[in-house]
């Protein structure tokens, strides 16, 4: 089968060469829709033999994606499309490699014909205080011919078909760059005018505002996202898990007793959806600590739940989940457990868990070991 890389770009000279260098061995052709680059993007693309088409921008990402997909199929025989953004870089190793991709495509074709979608794992890097955190998300990025997108912003595939995890793994550094949040905000405002209660758009608006440090403004969108996400197919979507966790962290960051009470209410309503998710229990440890510090007399009975939460994280480990922060089932939980034991005067236990975190390469744990 002919496998084509299909992209939309604009002014991506910072990262496009790295992206195409990594992706070229996986595909037969590279098809790019350029929406008005004024830097070296097009020259970089053509170095890799890319077929570049001009796309007059119409404030609609789906239109651009579908334009490129159409050219891939009509002009370059595309039977399978691999979709990447310019700031995403495929890994090529024992598990994620060109042969593994072809074997996966053949298997899915034998089982499902052309009615399926392939997921890839993407590792996102993003700033968190003085650290760079990493999270894993599963996203639809392998499309048989005929599949098309819908939605003007944060576009999705317009098809109800089997979704299957592929062997592909990509790294993403876009969240380390500035500027896209404000741009996306304008598109999301227009999208929400058309579908004000659509959970996915409310989720995207909420996290965009949160990333812009506009937490108070994000809350109405988080609440609407949560209120209209009762359907089973929504709660099973990867973005629902991420939306709940970001909603909870926004309430945590605001840090008022009222916001923490709202967080506690949400936790009670979703707890059965997160019984195997270390991210939820990691948050719980932070939540109980902040609640106790906010009003010790009222909440001191919750102190044991801090320790229990982090121990639960470690017992679950880094389990497979649609969205998740790397370390909540391992080194981050061990480190936080170490700090809990340190402040409660249990030095030996603190050292035990600091060492556990340090053995997994967590620098903050190494620093605490030196101090103790």
């Amino acid at each position: 089968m002919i496998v084509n890389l299909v992209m939309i770009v604009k002014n991506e000279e910072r990262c496009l060469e790295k992206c195409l260098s990594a992706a070229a061995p996986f595909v037969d052709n590279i098809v790019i829709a350029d929406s008005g680059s004024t830097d070296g993007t097009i020259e970089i693309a053509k170095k890799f033999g890319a077929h570049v088409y001009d796309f007059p921008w119409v404030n609609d990402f789906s239109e651009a994606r579908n334009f490129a997909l159409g050219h891939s199929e009509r002009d370059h025989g595309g039977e399978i499309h691999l979709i990447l953004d310019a700031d995403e870089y495929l890994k090529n190793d024992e598990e994620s490699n060109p042969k593994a991709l072809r074997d996966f495509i053949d298997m899915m074709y034998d089982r499902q014909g052309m009615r399926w979608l392939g997921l890839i794992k993407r590792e996102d890097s993003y700033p968190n205080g003085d650290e760079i955190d990493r999270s894993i998300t599963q996203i639809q990025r392998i499309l048989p011919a005929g599949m098309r997108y819908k939605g003007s912003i944060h576009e999705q595939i317009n098809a109800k078909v089997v979704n299957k995890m592929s062997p592909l793994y990509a790294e993403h550094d876009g969240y380390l760059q500035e500027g896209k949040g404000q741009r996306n905000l304008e598109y999301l405002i227009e999208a929400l005018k058309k579908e004000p209660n659509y959970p996915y758009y409310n989720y995207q608006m909420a996290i965009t505002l949160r990333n812009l440090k506009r937490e108070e403004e994000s809350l109405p969108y988080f609440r609407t996202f949560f209120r209209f996400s009762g359907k089973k197919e929504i709660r099973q979507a990867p973005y629902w898990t991420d939306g709940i966790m970001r909603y909870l962290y926004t309430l945590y960051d605001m840090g008022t007793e009222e916001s923490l009470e709202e967080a506690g209410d949400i936790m009670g309503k979703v707890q059965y959806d997160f019984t195997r998710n270390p991210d939820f229990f990691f948050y719980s440890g932070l939540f109980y600590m902040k609640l106790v510090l906010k009003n010790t007399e009222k909440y001191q009975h919750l102190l044991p739940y801090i320790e229990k939460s982090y121990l639960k994280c470690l017992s679950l480990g880094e389990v497979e989940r649609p969205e998740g922060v790397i370390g909540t089932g391992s080194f981050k939980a061990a480190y936080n457990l170490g700090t809990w034991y340190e402040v409660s005067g249990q030095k030996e236990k603190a050292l035990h868990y600091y060492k556990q975190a340090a053995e997994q390469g967590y620098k903050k744990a190494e620093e605490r070991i030196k101090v103790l």
Side-chain angles (χ1 to χ4, degrees):
M1 283 197 173
I2 296 176
V3 180
N4 291 344
L5 173 65
V6 179
M7 305 176 66
I8 59 173
V9 300
K10 182 180 180 181
N11 293 338
E12 300 287 5
E13 67 178 6
R14 176 191 73 85
C15 51
L16 185 61
E17 184 157 359
K18 182 178 178 181
C19 172
L20 295 181
S21 294
F26 289 79
V27 299
D28 297 301
N29 298 287
I30 299 172
V31 179
I32 292 178
D34 182 87
S35 59
S37 291
T38 56
D39 62 1
T41 293
I42 294 176
E43 289 74 16
I44 293 169
K46 288 184 176 179
K47 273 175 50 179
F48 289 87
H51 306 280
V52 181
Y53 296 88
D54 292 328
F55 176 77
W57 188 242
V58 292
N59 294 333
D60 191 313
F61 285 88
S62 287
E63 287 284 340
R65 296 270 188 215
N66 294 338
F67 170 85
L69 287 168
H71 278 292
S72 174
E73 292 171 7
R74 291 190 303 270
D75 303 342
H76 308 289
E79 297 169 281
I80 301 293
H81 308 295
L82 172 62
I83 310 298
L84 291 176
D85 291 334
D87 54 10
E88 296 171 343
Y89 320 110
L90 285 179
K91 296 185 75 172
N92 193 339
D93 56 25
E94 289 185 5
E95 295 183 1
S96 174
N97 57 64
K99 183 180 184 304
L101 172 62
R102 302 284 174 162
D103 290 345
F104 170 78
I105 291 169
D106 290 343
M107 176 193 72
M108 293 306 298
Y109 180 74
D110 289 344
R111 293 181 180 180
Q112 303 288 337
M114 299 293 272
R115 297 293 296 169
W116 55 273
L117 291 169
L119 305 173
I120 73 170
K121 286 184 181 178
R122 190 180 75 182
E123 180 181 309
D124 299 323
S125 297
Y126 58 93
N128 181 16
D130 59 351
E131 294 185 279
I132 300 297
D133 274 356
R134 296 173 298 138
S135 63
I136 299 292
T137 185
Q138 300 174 1
I139 46 178
Q140 297 169 329
R141 288 302 177 84
I142 303 172
L143 284 58
M147 298 293 179
R148 292 295 185 266
Y149 284 92
K150 66 175 181 178
S152 59
I153 178 71
H154 294 294
E155 59 281 8
Q156 297 178 295
I157 306 300
N158 189 19
K160 292 183 178 180
V161 294
V162 170
N163 284 248
K164 186 72 174 178
M165 180 57 63
S166 79
L168 296 194
Y169 191 102
E171 295 177 336
H172 172 233
D173 66 4
Y175 294 141
L176 298 176
Q177 314 304 315
E178 297 181 356
K180 289 189 177 180
Q182 192 63 45
R183 179 206 68 183
N184 290 348
L185 196 61
E186 299 168 9
Y187 297 131
L188 285 165
I189 289 170
E190 293 303 312
L192 280 165
K193 286 179 182 177
K194 299 174 184 176
E195 297 182 86
N197 296 328
Y198 184 32
Y200 184 68
Y201 285 158
N202 279 278
Y203 153 78
Q204 291 290 358
M205 175 63 91
I207 63 173
T208 298
L209 289 168
R210 170 177 165 78
N211 290 340
L212 291 170
K213 310 300 181 186
R214 294 161 63 176
E215 289 88 353
E216 189 77 42
E217 294 176 65
S218 74
L219 281 180
Y221 297 100
F222 275 122
R223 290 168 182 150
T224 302
F225 150 74
F226 184 64
R227 186 164 66 250
F228 289 94
S229 63
K231 292 182 179 178
K232 183 179 179 181
E233 60 266 28
I234 295 173
R235 294 172 81 96
Q236 290 179 339
Y239 80 85
W240 185 81
T241 302
D242 184 58
I244 294 299
M245 294 309 306
R246 294 193 195 224
Y247 183 10
L248 290 173
Y249 271 107
T250 301
L251 294 167
Y252 173 88
D253 290 342
M254 293 179 70
T256 65
E257 193 161 350
E258 292 76 17
S259 71
L260 293 174
E261 287 177 356
E262 182 176 346
D265 180 59
I266 299 299
M267 290 167 70
K269 290 176 178 177
V270 304
Q271 60 183 324
Y272 294 111
D273 296 278
F274 287 85
T275 55
R276 296 284 303 163
N277 192 317
D279 298 271
F280 181 79
F281 292 99
F282 186 85
Y283 174 84
S284 298
L286 297 173
F287 168 79
Y288 291 127
M289 174 65 83
K290 180 163 275 195
L291 205 56
V292 170
L293 292 174
K294 179 65 64 175
N295 191 331
T296 304
E297 184 177 350
K298 183 176 180 181
Y299 297 113
Q300 64 179 339
H301 66 284
L302 297 175
L303 278 169
Y305 289 94
I306 300 169
E307 178 186 23
K308 289 179 180 179
S309 295
Y310 294 128
L311 287 172
K312 180 67 173 178
C313 291
L314 294 175
S315 71
L316 288 171
E318 295 289 343
V319 298
E320 186 76 17
R321 52 205 191 273
E323 303 267 355
V325 177
I326 296 172
T328 57
S330 54
F331 60 88
K332 281 182 170 289
Y335 175 80
N336 280 17
L337 195 54
T339 61
W340 166 247
Y341 287 131
E342 184 180 352
V343 299
S344 58
Q346 302 178 68
K347 182 178 177 180
E348 291 305 315
K349 282 189 174 182
L351 279 169
H352 171 78
Y353 286 102
Y354 283 147
K355 288 176 181 177
Q356 186 173 320
E359 287 168 0
Q360 297 171 60
Y362 198 44
K363 299 297 184 184
K364 290 175 71 173
E366 294 176 9
E367 294 167 5
R368 293 312 305 162
I369 291 171
K370 291 177 184 177
V371 172
L372 290 180

